[in-house]
């Protein structure tokens, strides 16, 4: 299976709108592990590890987010890291 990990920094109205929890729900449905964490500057950091196509679909979803979110920019980078066993929010 072709697996990868990617990190995304999501900018816009993404805090206080259930963005992290909705991202977790999407990730769990797709079998992706990682995290969604609020950053002090108002962005959300998302770590996504799993099957390459599933990570790609979640990465595309990050541009939309849940109702109430207004995403203005998403910065991605593929990273080499040990894939976590679960997906958590913080």
């Amino acid at each position: 299976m072709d697996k990868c990990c990617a990190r995304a920094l999501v900018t816009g109205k993404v805090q206080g709108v259930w963005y992290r929890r909705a991202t977790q729900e999407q990730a769990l449905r797709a079998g992706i592990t990682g995290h969604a964490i609020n950053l002090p500057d108002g962005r959300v950091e998302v770590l996504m590890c799993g099957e390459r196509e599933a990570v790609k679909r979640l990465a595309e979803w990050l541009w939309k987010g849940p109702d109430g979110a207004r995403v203005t920019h998403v910065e991605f980078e593929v990273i080499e890291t040990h894939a976590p066993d679960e997906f958590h929010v913080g």
Side-chain angles (χ1 to χ4, degrees):
M1 196 179 295
D2 190 18
K3 294 191 173 199
C4 71
C5 289
R7 182 175 76 123
L9 297 174
V10 186
T11 304
K13 183 180 177 189
V14 292
Q15 291 190 11
V17 292
W18 292 89
Y19 193 91
R20 292 173 297 146
R21 191 63 67 188
T23 301
Q24 181 184 39
E25 290 172 3
Q26 294 290 322
L28 292 174
R29 280 191 215 125
I32 292 173
T33 62
H35 64 243
I37 299 171
N38 281 344
L39 298 177
D41 63 5
R43 296 181 297 172
V44 171
E45 177 186 274
V46 180
L47 173 66
M48 307 167 281
C49 296
E51 194 272 322
R52 188 173 301 276
E53 282 302 312
V55 169
K56 181 181 176 185
R57 283 191 302 275
L58 180 58
E60 291 169 356
W61 180 88
L62 293 178
W63 279 97
K64 178 180 184 256
D67 292 341
R70 284 196 306 265
V71 177
T72 59
H73 185 73
V74 183
E75 178 181 332
F76 294 100
E77 68 176 314
V78 175
I79 60 173
E80 297 293 325
T81 187
H82 172 73
D85 295 329
E86 60 187 27
F87 195 98
H88 71 274
V89 296

